[in-house]
Amino acid sequence: MDTKEILKKVRKIEIKTRRLSDHIFSGEYHTSFKGRGMTFSEVRQYQYGDDVRAIDWNVTARYNEPYIKVFEEERELTMMLMVDCSGSESFGTQNQLKSEVVTEIAATLAFSSTQNNDKVGLILFSDEIELFIPPKKGKSHVLRIIRELIEFQPKSKKTDIAQALKFLSSVMKKKAIVFMISDFMSKDYEHTLKIASKKHDVTGIRVFDKREESLPNLGLVNMLDAESGKTMLVDTSSKKLRQNYEINYRTNVNYFTSIFSKCGAGAVSSRVDESYVTKLLGYFKARN
C-alpha cells in the first residue's frame, strides 16, 4: 500500500473503532480497570449519610462542626497492547483476516484508554520483538499505533509468546493494563506469564478462524504453513488426520485457557466471524 491507501485505511478504522470506544467501551473500560488508588481532593462539611470514618478530626475541632476528607480515584493508567504479527495472523476464510480483526480490537482498546486520559503503548511481536512504541497519551499517538498495525512488515513469521512476555516485564517497571492479542499458537509460556501477571493486569484475547477448529474433507490439498513457509500435500479425506488436527487444535486452546486462568490473567476468545464487541463487553462486565 502507498501512503494514500494507508491513510485511507487508518481513517476507516478510526471512524469505526472510535465510535465503538466512545459509545460502548470507554465506560466499561473505566469501571473494569481501576486506578492506582485514592488521592486527597478537599475537605468539606459533613452531610447526612457520609461515612463517619472520613471525618477530619483536626478541622472538625478547629471549626467546632464536623468536616470530612474527600478522596478521588487516582485514575491515570497505562495500557500496553501486545499484538502478534506472525505469519499465522494472515489467515482467514471469512470476510476478514485474523490480522484485520486484531487491528480493530487493538484500535478500539487504544481509543478507550485515550477517552479515559490513560497512556497507551504497543509491542508488536513474532518470535522476536518487532516493534516497541512506549506509552503516551493523545489521538495522534493512537493513530500512529493504528498505522503501524496496518503497514508494519515483520522480519519473522514465527511466534514466541514467552519471549514477548519476557520483554514486557523488562521494559514496563510500573503496573500496566496489558492486552495480548494473538491466536496463541504457541506453548511453554506459563513461567513468563506468571511473572508478568504478578506485576500487571494481563488479558489474553485469542482471535481465531473457524477453519482452524476443524479440517474439511477436500481430498488432496496443497497446504502452506504460514510460519515455517513449508508447503505439503495433505490428504484431508483421511479421518484419522482430521481427528489429529482437531485434537492438536483443542490441546492448544486448552493450554491457553488453563494457563491464563492458573496465572490469574483474563482470557477472551473471539472467532473472526463473531462480534468481538459482544465478547469484550461480556468480559468487562464479568470483571465488574
Side-chain angles (χ1 to χ4, degrees):
M1 290 187 289
D2 59 26
T3 304
K4 191 176 179 181
E5 284 180 294
I6 291 166
L7 291 173
K8 188 176 178 182
K9 199 162 186 178
V10 168
R11 181 61 180 155
K12 185 178 177 183
I13 289 173
E14 181 195 0
I15 291 167
K16 180 177 181 178
T17 59
R18 190 159 194 172
R19 187 172 65 246
L20 287 172
S21 65
D22 286 354
H23 300 296
I24 301 173
F25 282 106
S26 57
E28 295 295 341
Y29 165 81
H30 180 94
T31 52
S32 295
F33 301 98
K34 302 298 182 185
R36 289 191 291 269
M38 305 301 287
T39 183
F40 175 74
S41 175
E42 62 178 341
V43 173
R44 65 163 171 79
Q45 282 185 298
Y46 178 87
Q47 296 173 3
Y48 178 77
D50 285 336
D51 190 342
V52 294
R53 291 173 297 181
I55 291 176
D56 187 322
W57 294 107
N58 291 330
V59 178
T60 297
R62 193 181 308 147
Y63 292 101
N64 207 27
E65 58 180 314
Y67 277 77
I68 67 163
K69 291 179 181 178
V70 178
F71 293 86
E72 290 180 349
E73 183 185 354
E74 193 180 351
R75 174 61 226 178
E76 185 180 294
L77 298 170
T78 297
M79 178 191 287
M80 205 68 222
L81 297 170
M82 301 184 69
V83 178
D84 183 352
C85 60
S86 64
S88 62
E89 297 301 326
S90 299
F91 179 79
T93 59
Q94 307 303 305
N95 294 328
Q96 285 183 295
L97 301 176
K98 285 190 288 182
S99 59
E100 292 172 329
V101 176
V102 165
T103 296
E104 283 191 18
I105 292 173
T108 304
L109 292 169
F111 278 122
S112 294
S113 74
T114 301
Q115 282 289 99
N116 285 281
N117 201 35
D118 295 340
K119 295 177 183 177
V120 59
L122 174 69
I123 296 172
L124 286 179
F125 69 93
S126 54
D127 62 341
E128 58 185 89
I129 302 307
E130 298 281 354
L131 178 69
F132 172 54
I133 299 177
K136 279 177 63 178
K137 294 182 181 181
K139 179 187 170 183
S140 61
H141 180 67
V142 171
L143 292 177
R144 184 202 166 187
I145 286 174
I146 296 172
R147 180 170 179 152
E148 293 291 359
L149 287 166
I150 293 170
E151 70 168 346
F152 187 83
Q153 295 297 316
K155 298 186 197 80
S156 175
K157 292 183 178 294
K158 298 178 182 179
T159 312
D160 189 337
I161 286 170
Q163 184 68 22
L165 288 166
K166 189 176 179 181
F167 178 79
L168 171 76
S169 295
S170 70
V171 295
M172 299 300 293
K173 301 302 180 185
K174 292 183 179 179
K175 182 178 180 180
I177 297 166
V178 178
F179 289 100
M180 178 173 259
I181 314 171
S182 170
D183 52 19
F184 289 91
M185 290 187 177
S186 178
K187 291 181 181 176
D188 302 321
Y189 52 82
E190 179 180 353
H191 178 66
T192 48
L193 178 60
K194 190 179 291 182
I195 293 169
S197 58
K198 279 182 180 178
K199 185 192 290 186
H200 307 294
D201 189 334
V202 182
T203 299
I205 303 175
R206 187 177 72 91
V207 177
F208 65 101
D209 188 277
K210 72 175 185 178
R211 282 291 171 234
E212 291 172 325
E213 297 178 274
S214 61
L215 199 62
N217 183 352
L218 300 171
L220 288 170
V221 178
N222 266 316
M223 289 193 172
L224 170 70
D225 185 326
E227 299 209 353
S228 69
K230 293 180 180 178
T231 304
M232 62 180 75
L233 191 64
V234 178
D235 184 7
T236 60
S237 64
S238 167
K239 188 176 180 181
K240 186 177 181 181
L241 183 139
R242 294 199 306 274
Q243 285 175 340
N244 287 339
Y245 180 93
E246 288 182 35
I247 290 168
N248 183 64
Y249 173 80
R250 189 50 51 195
T251 301
N252 208 50
V253 174
N254 289 343
Y255 181 80
F256 162 73
T257 53
S258 63
I259 293 305
F260 268 76
S261 175
K262 185 178 177 181
C263 294
V268 182
S269 289
S270 183
R271 208 167 67 187
V272 169
D273 58 334
E274 293 177 324
S275 168
Y276 64 81
V277 174
T278 303
K279 291 295 181 78
L280 288 177
L281 279 176
Y283 171 69
F284 289 161
K285 285 175 180 174
R287 282 181 61 108
N288 294 337

